[in-house]
Amino acid sequence: MGYAVVGYFDKATDEWIRRIWKELMVNDIDDYLYNSENNPHIKFAMYDNLKEIDIINAIEDISQTREQIDIIFKSYSFYPNDQPFFNIDMATSMPLLELQAEIRRTCDRSSTLFPIDFFDAGIWKPDCQLTREVDKKHLSNIAKCLYEKKLPIKGKLESIGLIKFHPAKQIIRFNLS
């Protein structure tokens, strides 16, 4: 079982991304995210294991000192693994970088990091996952689906929380001040 500290979006942005998840499900490309017990989100860190109460307290403390962040979704991308997954990329901003750095400083103390470096300083990029893992035969269908979804899209990062996965389940969520 893994965990992630995540950020959630405003209602309009959430619904826009959910429509993409639904279209990918209806077209038999990927139904995992649409059927999960979670909302569209940005991952700030992923952990193999953690002390839940410590992380919940840390996230709550951070949420009380951080304001909501304006965000812009600017492009689509994918990780070319054996079973690739697709994302929508967000413009990097100082408030996002500062929030991610604070989450890492605070939450890493009570956790064991996932054995990947995607969340390290200088490597992490803000994005929202659109698929989990898909068969390569769907690449052109995904590209057609995303081509219809014009960018940029402006939104807000309104809250941060903790999820457990697989399957994805939201544990806690706190609004940013």
Side-chain angles (χ1 to χ4, degrees):
M1 178 99 21
Y3 295 86
V5 177
V6 300
Y8 294 107
F9 312 116
D10 60 280
K11 184 178 179 182
T13 302
D14 182 274
E15 290 171 353
W16 185 80
I17 295 168
R18 281 186 164 285
R19 285 192 297 274
I20 294 174
W21 286 1
K22 184 175 183 178
E23 186 173 334
L24 293 169
M25 179 199 64
V26 167
N27 288 300
D28 292 323
I29 295 169
D30 185 14
D31 65 354
Y32 176 79
L33 293 168
Y34 183 78
N35 290 320
S36 75
E37 293 182 27
N38 204 2
N39 294 75
H41 58 274
I42 174 177
K43 288 182 183 76
F44 292 109
M46 291 176 66
Y47 300 101
D48 265 336
N49 58 60
L50 48 75
K51 294 179 184 173
E52 269 188 41
I53 192 64
D54 290 352
I55 301 303
I56 290 169
N57 290 335
I59 293 169
E60 183 177 24
D61 290 347
I62 292 168
S63 72
Q64 293 172 356
T65 63
R66 292 285 177 163
E67 294 181 357
Q68 295 182 3
I69 300 172
D70 291 324
I71 55 172
I72 299 173
F73 290 98
K74 62 179 188 155
S75 60
Y76 299 105
S77 66
F78 74 100
Y79 288 82
N81 304 338
D82 288 335
Q83 290 188 292
F85 61 94
F86 284 74
N87 300 297
I88 182 169
D89 294 330
M90 300 163 63
T92 303
S93 67
M94 285 310 297
L96 279 175
L97 290 172
E98 290 167 354
L99 177 58
Q100 196 259 352
E102 183 176 4
I103 287 168
R104 288 291 311 272
R105 272 192 312 274
T106 306
C107 296
D108 286 8
R109 292 182 280 213
S110 302
S111 312
T112 304
L113 287 167
F114 236 53
I116 55 175
D117 61 3
F118 293 150
F119 300 95
D120 290 349
I123 297 174
W124 178 75
K125 74 175 181 66
D127 61 35
C128 175
Q129 206 166 338
L130 297 175
T131 67
R132 183 164 175 246
E133 295 175 333
V134 295
D135 191 301
K136 291 176 189 174
K137 70 182 181 185
H138 295 300
L139 293 178
S140 63
N141 291 337
I142 295 170
K144 287 177 192 172
C145 169
L146 297 180
Y147 183 78
E148 303 293 321
K149 314 300 181 273
K150 300 300 181 197
L151 297 173
I153 297 292
K154 293 181 180 183
K156 279 205 178 288
L157 184 74
E158 290 189 339
S159 59
I160 55 177
L162 180 65
I163 63 173
K164 192 184 283 193
F165 55 89
H166 297 290
K169 183 176 181 169
Q170 192 178 112
I171 295 172
I172 197 79
R173 180 177 185 162
F174 297 103
N175 289 331
L176 297 170
S177 61

